[in-house]
mmCIF file of all heavy atoms in Angstrom:
data_model
loop_
_atom_site.group_PDB
_atom_site.id
_atom_site.type_symbol
_atom_site.label_atom_id
_atom_site.label_comp_id
_atom_site.label_asym_id
_atom_site.label_seq_id
_atom_site.Cartn_x
_atom_site.Cartn_y
_atom_site.Cartn_z
ATOM 1 N N SER A 1 -22.153 11.827 21.965
ATOM 2 C CA SER A 1 -23.484 12.235 22.488
ATOM 3 C C SER A 1 -24.498 11.934 21.506
ATOM 4 O O SER A 1 -24.187 11.584 20.341
ATOM 5 C CB SER A 1 -23.483 13.706 22.957
ATOM 6 O OG SER A 1 -23.430 14.533 21.782
ATOM 7 N N LYS A 2 -25.733 12.296 21.803
ATOM 8 C CA LYS A 2 -26.778 12.042 20.801
ATOM 9 C C LYS A 2 -26.708 12.991 19.619
ATOM 10 O O LYS A 2 -27.390 12.729 18.607
ATOM 11 C CB LYS A 2 -28.174 12.144 21.459
ATOM 12 C CG LYS A 2 -28.739 13.485 21.616
ATOM 13 C CD LYS A 2 -30.191 13.359 22.092
ATOM 14 C CE LYS A 2 -30.858 14.729 22.056
ATOM 15 N NZ LYS A 2 -32.325 14.583 22.382
ATOM 16 N N SER A 3 -25.829 13.978 19.677
ATOM 17 C CA SER A 3 -25.684 14.910 18.591
ATOM 18 C C SER A 3 -24.321 14.788 17.843
ATOM 19 O O SER A 3 -24.143 15.427 16.843
ATOM 20 C CB SER A 3 -25.844 16.356 19.079
ATOM 21 O OG SER A 3 -27.106 16.573 19.617
ATOM 22 N N PHE A 4 -23.420 14.059 18.408
ATOM 23 C CA PHE A 4 -22.065 14.106 17.842
ATOM 24 C C PHE A 4 -21.444 12.657 17.757
ATOM 25 O O PHE A 4 -21.477 11.931 18.721
ATOM 26 C CB PHE A 4 -21.133 14.930 18.717
ATOM 27 C CG PHE A 4 -19.802 15.176 18.221
ATOM 28 C CD1 PHE A 4 -19.558 15.463 16.892
ATOM 29 C CD2 PHE A 4 -18.667 15.056 19.006
ATOM 30 C CE1 PHE A 4 -18.255 15.699 16.405
ATOM 31 C CE2 PHE A 4 -17.395 15.244 18.611
ATOM 32 C CZ PHE A 4 -17.159 15.531 17.245
ATOM 33 N N GLU A 5 -20.937 12.332 16.606
ATOM 34 C CA GLU A 5 -20.289 11.011 16.396
ATOM 35 C C GLU A 5 -19.024 11.236 15.582
ATOM 36 O O GLU A 5 -18.966 12.034 14.656
ATOM 37 C CB GLU A 5 -21.184 10.080 15.668
ATOM 38 C CG GLU A 5 -20.570 8.716 15.414
ATOM 39 C CD GLU A 5 -21.482 7.791 14.637
ATOM 40 O OE1 GLU A 5 -22.437 7.258 15.202
ATOM 41 O OE2 GLU A 5 -21.248 7.540 13.436
ATOM 42 N N VAL A 6 -18.012 10.421 15.953
ATOM 43 C CA VAL A 6 -16.691 10.473 15.268
ATOM 44 C C VAL A 6 -16.326 9.024 14.910
ATOM 45 O O VAL A 6 -16.438 8.106 15.729
ATOM 46 C CB VAL A 6 -15.598 11.047 16.169
ATOM 47 C CG1 VAL A 6 -14.275 11.092 15.423
ATOM 48 C CG2 VAL A 6 -15.982 12.500 16.604
ATOM 49 N N ASN A 7 -15.846 8.895 13.645
ATOM 50 C CA ASN A 7 -15.258 7.598 13.215
ATOM 51 C C ASN A 7 -13.806 7.800 12.995
ATOM 52 O O ASN A 7 -13.396 8.721 12.246
ATOM 53 C CB ASN A 7 -15.969 7.158 11.916
ATOM 54 C CG ASN A 7 -17.337 6.655 12.088
ATOM 55 O OD1 ASN A 7 -17.569 5.466 11.991
ATOM 56 N ND2 ASN A 7 -18.264 7.539 12.427
ATOM 57 N N VAL A 8 -12.941 6.996 13.563
ATOM 58 C CA VAL A 8 -11.541 7.088 13.365
ATOM 59 C C VAL A 8 -10.984 5.701 12.989
ATOM 60 O O VAL A 8 -11.597 4.658 13.285
ATOM 61 C CB VAL A 8 -10.815 7.544 14.624
ATOM 62 C CG1 VAL A 8 -11.224 8.964 14.940
ATOM 63 C CG2 VAL A 8 -11.055 6.632 15.755
ATOM 64 N N GLY A 9 -9.862 5.743 12.257
ATOM 65 C CA GLY A 9 -9.253 4.456 11.796
ATOM 66 C C GLY A 9 -7.798 4.670 11.451
ATOM 67 O O GLY A 9 -7.376 5.770 11.088
ATOM 68 N N ALA A 10 -7.062 3.589 11.522
ATOM 69 C CA ALA A 10 -5.660 3.585 11.152
ATOM 70 C C ALA A 10 -5.203 2.232 10.620
ATOM 71 O O ALA A 10 -5.773 1.213 11.040
ATOM 72 C CB ALA A 10 -4.768 3.943 12.398
ATOM 73 N N ARG A 11 -4.311 2.253 9.662
ATOM 74 C CA ARG A 11 -3.749 1.047 9.076
ATOM 75 C C ARG A 11 -2.278 1.233 8.952
ATOM 76 O O ARG A 11 -1.789 2.194 8.438
ATOM 77 C CB ARG A 11 -4.386 0.806 7.705
ATOM 78 C CG ARG A 11 -3.848 -0.487 7.005
ATOM 79 C CD ARG A 11 -4.497 -0.593 5.659
ATOM 80 N NE ARG A 11 -4.029 -1.822 4.929
ATOM 81 C CZ ARG A 11 -4.580 -3.000 5.036
ATOM 82 N NH1 ARG A 11 -5.688 -3.122 5.803
ATOM 83 N NH2 ARG A 11 -4.135 -4.078 4.430
ATOM 84 N N LEU A 12 -1.526 0.236 9.401
ATOM 85 C CA LEU A 12 -0.046 0.107 9.270
ATOM 86 C C LEU A 12 0.250 -1.087 8.525
ATOM 87 O O LEU A 12 -0.062 -2.208 8.967
ATOM 88 C CB LEU A 12 0.607 0.180 10.625
ATOM 89 C CG LEU A 12 0.246 1.333 11.611
ATOM 90 C CD1 LEU A 12 0.922 1.178 12.933
ATOM 91 C CD2 LEU A 12 0.621 2.657 10.965
ATOM 92 N N GLU A 13 0.912 -0.961 7.368
ATOM 93 C CA GLU A 13 1.068 -2.073 6.409
ATOM 94 C C GLU A 13 2.520 -2.165 5.952
ATOM 95 O O GLU A 13 3.152 -1.186 5.563
ATOM 96 C CB GLU A 13 0.144 -1.803 5.188
ATOM 97 C CG GLU A 13 0.264 -2.854 4.116
ATOM 98 C CD GLU A 13 -0.580 -2.456 2.929
ATOM 99 O OE1 GLU A 13 -1.743 -2.898 2.881
ATOM 100 O OE2 GLU A 13 -0.104 -1.739 2.018
ATOM 101 N N TYR A 14 3.026 -3.384 6.024
ATOM 102 C CA TYR A 14 4.368 -3.667 5.494
ATOM 103 C C TYR A 14 4.222 -4.460 4.242
ATOM 104 O O TYR A 14 3.572 -5.551 4.204
ATOM 105 C CB TYR A 14 5.188 -4.497 6.539
ATOM 106 C CG TYR A 14 6.544 -4.832 6.026
ATOM 107 C CD1 TYR A 14 7.539 -3.899 5.643
ATOM 108 C CD2 TYR A 14 6.910 -6.236 5.979
ATOM 109 C CE1 TYR A 14 8.733 -4.300 5.169
ATOM 110 C CE2 TYR A 14 8.165 -6.557 5.512
ATOM 111 C CZ TYR A 14 9.067 -5.651 5.136
ATOM 112 O OH TYR A 14 10.307 -6.001 4.685
ATOM 113 N N GLN A 15 4.731 -3.940 3.106
ATOM 114 C CA GLN A 15 4.558 -4.552 1.791
ATOM 115 C C GLN A 15 5.923 -4.861 1.217
ATOM 116 O O GLN A 15 6.842 -4.107 1.252
ATOM 117 C CB GLN A 15 3.800 -3.596 0.913
ATOM 118 C CG GLN A 15 3.561 -4.039 -0.537
ATOM 119 C CD GLN A 15 2.962 -3.022 -1.409
ATOM 120 O OE1 GLN A 15 2.617 -1.931 -0.968
ATOM 121 N NE2 GLN A 15 2.785 -3.343 -2.727
ATOM 122 N N THR A 16 5.966 -6.077 0.542
ATOM 123 C CA THR A 16 7.167 -6.477 -0.116
ATOM 124 C C THR A 16 6.915 -6.942 -1.528
ATOM 125 O O THR A 16 5.850 -7.529 -1.806
ATOM 126 C CB THR A 16 7.900 -7.652 0.600
ATOM 127 O OG1 THR A 16 7.056 -8.780 0.624
ATOM 128 C CG2 THR A 16 8.183 -7.243 2.079
ATOM 129 N N LEU A 17 7.885 -6.671 -2.442
ATOM 130 C CA LEU A 17 7.884 -7.226 -3.793
ATOM 131 C C LEU A 17 9.171 -8.022 -3.987
ATOM 132 O O LEU A 17 10.256 -7.437 -3.726
ATOM 133 C CB LEU A 17 7.826 -6.176 -4.855
ATOM 134 C CG LEU A 17 6.602 -5.146 -4.884
ATOM 135 C CD1 LEU A 17 6.702 -4.286 -6.141
ATOM 136 C CD2 LEU A 17 5.252 -5.879 -4.779
ATOM 137 N N ARG A 18 9.067 -9.239 -4.501
ATOM 138 C CA ARG A 18 10.273 -10.057 -4.769
ATOM 139 C C ARG A 18 10.012 -10.732 -6.103
ATOM 140 O O ARG A 18 8.999 -11.364 -6.339
ATOM 141 C CB ARG A 18 10.447 -11.143 -3.716
ATOM 142 C CG ARG A 18 10.698 -10.582 -2.324
ATOM 143 C CD ARG A 18 12.059 -9.921 -2.145
ATOM 144 N NE ARG A 18 12.314 -9.574 -0.818
ATOM 145 C CZ ARG A 18 12.000 -8.368 -0.217
ATOM 146 N NH1 ARG A 18 11.347 -7.473 -0.961
ATOM 147 N NH2 ARG A 18 12.264 -8.113 1.007
ATOM 148 N N GLY A 19 10.912 -10.498 -7.049
ATOM 149 C CA GLY A 19 10.716 -11.091 -8.410
ATOM 150 C C GLY A 19 11.749 -10.612 -9.380
ATOM 151 O O GLY A 19 12.834 -10.253 -9.012
ATOM 152 N N ASP A 20 11.344 -10.671 -10.664
ATOM 153 C CA ASP A 20 12.304 -10.218 -11.694
ATOM 154 C C ASP A 20 11.568 -9.743 -12.908
ATOM 155 O O ASP A 20 10.347 -10.018 -13.169
ATOM 156 C CB ASP A 20 13.225 -11.396 -12.058
ATOM 157 C CG ASP A 20 12.583 -12.640 -12.555
ATOM 158 O OD1 ASP A 20 12.020 -12.627 -13.629
ATOM 159 O OD2 ASP A 20 12.524 -13.624 -11.763
ATOM 160 N N TYR A 21 12.255 -9.007 -13.792
ATOM 161 C CA TYR A 21 11.741 -8.534 -15.017
ATOM 162 C C TYR A 21 12.864 -8.551 -16.032
ATOM 163 O O TYR A 21 14.071 -8.692 -15.704
ATOM 164 C CB TYR A 21 11.120 -7.161 -14.945
ATOM 165 C CG TYR A 21 12.096 -6.018 -14.671
ATOM 166 C CD1 TYR A 21 12.536 -5.257 -15.738
ATOM 167 C CD2 TYR A 21 12.584 -5.719 -13.378
ATOM 168 C CE1 TYR A 21 13.446 -4.174 -15.472
ATOM 169 C CE2 TYR A 21 13.415 -4.710 -13.149
ATOM 170 C CZ TYR A 21 13.889 -3.964 -14.229
ATOM 171 O OH TYR A 21 14.807 -2.914 -14.000
ATOM 172 N N GLN A 22 12.569 -8.368 -17.307
ATOM 173 C CA GLN A 22 13.566 -8.315 -18.362
ATOM 174 C C GLN A 22 13.670 -6.943 -18.928
ATOM 175 O O GLN A 22 12.769 -6.350 -19.391
ATOM 176 C CB GLN A 22 13.249 -9.333 -19.435
ATOM 177 C CG GLN A 22 14.309 -9.354 -20.588
ATOM 178 C CD GLN A 22 14.159 -10.467 -21.571
ATOM 179 O OE1 GLN A 22 14.390 -11.651 -21.254
ATOM 180 N NE2 GLN A 22 13.617 -10.165 -22.747
ATOM 181 N N ASP A 23 14.946 -6.455 -18.912
ATOM 182 C CA ASP A 23 15.229 -5.044 -19.376
ATOM 183 C C ASP A 23 14.923 -5.039 -20.857
ATOM 184 O O ASP A 23 15.521 -5.717 -21.675
ATOM 185 C CB ASP A 23 16.672 -4.732 -19.095
ATOM 186 C CG ASP A 23 17.001 -3.297 -19.284
ATOM 187 O OD1 ASP A 23 16.289 -2.578 -20.053
ATOM 188 O OD2 ASP A 23 17.938 -2.744 -18.673
ATOM 189 N N ARG A 24 14.027 -4.078 -21.266
ATOM 190 C CA ARG A 24 13.702 -3.966 -22.648
ATOM 191 C C ARG A 24 14.848 -3.353 -23.513
ATOM 192 O O ARG A 24 14.829 -3.485 -24.732
ATOM 193 C CB ARG A 24 12.432 -3.070 -22.827
ATOM 194 C CG ARG A 24 12.609 -1.611 -22.705
ATOM 195 C CD ARG A 24 11.293 -0.927 -23.054
ATOM 196 N NE ARG A 24 11.445 0.512 -22.966
ATOM 197 C CZ ARG A 24 10.426 1.351 -23.131
ATOM 198 N NH1 ARG A 24 9.173 0.915 -23.383
ATOM 199 N NH2 ARG A 24 10.623 2.655 -23.066
ATOM 200 N N ASN A 25 15.797 -2.731 -22.847
ATOM 201 C CA ASN A 25 16.953 -2.194 -23.557
ATOM 202 C C ASN A 25 17.837 -3.287 -24.212
ATOM 203 O O ASN A 25 18.689 -2.987 -25.012
ATOM 204 C CB ASN A 25 17.789 -1.293 -22.648
ATOM 205 C CG ASN A 25 17.113 0.043 -22.261
ATOM 206 O OD1 ASN A 25 16.372 0.574 -23.124
ATOM 207 N ND2 ASN A 25 17.229 0.403 -21.054
ATOM 208 N N LEU A 26 17.624 -4.567 -23.753
ATOM 209 C CA LEU A 26 18.329 -5.655 -24.401
ATOM 210 C C LEU A 26 17.843 -5.849 -25.836
ATOM 211 O O LEU A 26 18.521 -6.490 -26.585
ATOM 212 C CB LEU A 26 18.111 -6.914 -23.581
ATOM 213 C CG LEU A 26 18.618 -6.929 -22.157
ATOM 214 C CD1 LEU A 26 18.139 -8.220 -21.420
ATOM 215 C CD2 LEU A 26 20.103 -6.893 -22.113
ATOM 216 N N GLY A 27 16.705 -5.344 -26.135
ATOM 217 C CA GLY A 27 16.182 -5.400 -27.534
ATOM 218 C C GLY A 27 15.766 -6.775 -27.942
ATOM 219 O O GLY A 27 15.773 -7.088 -29.165
#
């Protein structure tokens, strides 16, 4: 109405990580 406003939103996200790292315990 002229006195009331609502903003709504939604996000659905699928996220992937693929890669490698080196274990620092190898020294």
Side-chain angles (χ1 to χ4, degrees):
S1 69
K2 81 173 192 176
S3 299
F4 185 47
E5 180 183 285
V6 180
N7 285 251
V8 295
R11 180 184 181 88
L12 304 177
E13 177 183 271
Y14 177 60
Q15 179 184 357
T16 64
L17 301 186
R18 300 289 186 269
D20 57 73
Y21 69 98
Q22 180 170 287
D23 191 335
R24 76 175 182 183
N25 292 322
L26 296 172

